[in-house]
Amino acid sequence: MTRTTRILDDPEEAAAVIRSGGLVAFPTETVYGLGADALNPDAVAAVFAAKGRPGDNPLIVHVAEVSGVSLVCDAIPASASALLAAFSPGPLTVVVPRSDRVSPAVSAGLDTVGVRIPGHPVAQALLRAAGCPVAAPSANRSGRPSATTWEAVLADLDGRVDAVLKGERPQVGIESTVVDCTGVVPAVLRAGSVTLEQLRRVVPETLARGEQTAASPGTRHPHYAPRARVRMVQSPSPRDTAAYIGWTRPAAGYKLEAPVSGLEEYAHALYDFFRQCDRAGVAEIDCEWPSSSGIGRALQDRLRRAAAASVA
Ligand code: AMP
Ligand code: MG
C-alpha cells in the first residue's frame, strides 16, 4: 500500500486528489485531519488502513457549511441545528442519524455519523473545492498524539497518504468537542475547546461527558500517547531524564521544558511537545495538572488518557 506523498500548498490540487479517491492530510483549527471522500467506500477503507485505526472507531465527516450537513443526514435533530448555528464553523462535532448515502464503514457500522464544519481557511478551501463530504480522523498513526504540524503528519504517514496540504498551524491544538445529538437531550462524548458551559448556553439540558451511559466508541482505545511515560504532576521535580510542560517555572534540571502561560497555550503546545520529547529520547514527561476551567477540562481528559496509554 505504499503511496508517494506529495506536499501541496494548493487546496484545488488537494481537492482533485480527494475526488479521485485519494488520501489528503489537511490542517484544521483543531489538529491535522486525514481526509477522503466520505461517499467512496474504498477511500474510506484506505483511511483506516493508512492510520492502522481500529475498524470500530468511527470517522468524523467534514463539510464546508451548515447546509452541507444534509448530505450526510436526512433528519437533523433540532439540538444539532441549534448547536451548529451557534458554534460553526468551529471545533464542534455533532453526532446525528446517518444517511444511507454515507457508507456504514465511515461510522464503524453505527447508524449515526459525526459531522463538523471546520473554520480553518485552508480546510474551508479544500472542502469547497472537493464538493463532497470529507471523512477525516486525526492525521496520525493510531494511538499516537494527533499531528499539529505538517512535519508531524509526514513523520507518521509519509508513504501512506497521497498528499499533505500545508497551512497555518492549527490554533486550538487538541481535537474537537463531540456532542451526541441523537438522544432526547444532547450529551458530550469528548471534551474540547467548546466547553460544556458554552453548549449549555444554547441547549441548557446538555449532559456532561459520562452523564449518559453510551460511551463514544473511540474513547475505548488508547490515545494521544508519546513513547515517553506521561505523569500528571502538581509541581515540577527536575530530572535530567525527564521533560516538563506547565506554567510553574521549574528550577533548572529537566532535559526539555515547554513553559506555557495559560491553558490555551498549553493545549496549543501539548502534542508537538510530546513528539519533541520522543525525538529527544526523554523517558518521562511531567505535565502540570491544569484546572478544569475552559479548555482545561479537555486538557485533563487528554493528559489522563496519554498517561494511561503510556503505562499500559
Ligand atoms: P478523531 O477523528 O481521531 O479525533 O476521532 C473521532 C472521535 O469522534 C472518536 O472519539 C470517535 O469515537 C468520535 N465519533 C465519531 N463519529 C461518531 C459517532 N457516529 N458516534 C459516536 N462517536 C463518534
Ligand atoms: Mg484521533
Side-chain angles (χ1 to χ4, degrees), residues 30-34 51 53 56-62 93-96 98 106-108 110-115 136-140 146 174-180 182 189-190 212 214-221 223-224 302 305:
T30 58
V31 299
Y32 268 78
L34 171 54
K51 285 195 57 149
R53 184 175 176 100
D56 64 352
N57 192 0
L59 309 183
I60 291 170
V61 176
H62 296 68
T93 299
V94 291
V95 172
V96 296
R98 175 175 56 80
V106 167
S107 302
L110 299 171
D111 53 12
T112 58
V113 63
V115 200
S138 52
N140 51 278
S146 298
I174 60 174
E175 305 77 1
S176 60
T177 305
V178 180
V179 181
D180 180 2
T182 62
L189 298 179
R190 177 174 75 184
Q212 74 158 20
S216 187
T219 58
R220 283 197 299 269
H221 298 286
H223 253 81
Y224 318 118
R302 304 309 188 274
R305 295 212 264 154

Side-chain angles (χ1 to χ4, degrees), residues 29 43 77-78 124 131 174 193 203 208 210 214 229 232 241 252 273 278 280 282 310:
E29 69 273 45
Q124 274 285 326
I174 60 174
S193 66
V203 184
R229 179 163 177 253
M232 300 169 287
T241 51
F273 187 62
D278 281 350
V282 161
S310 64

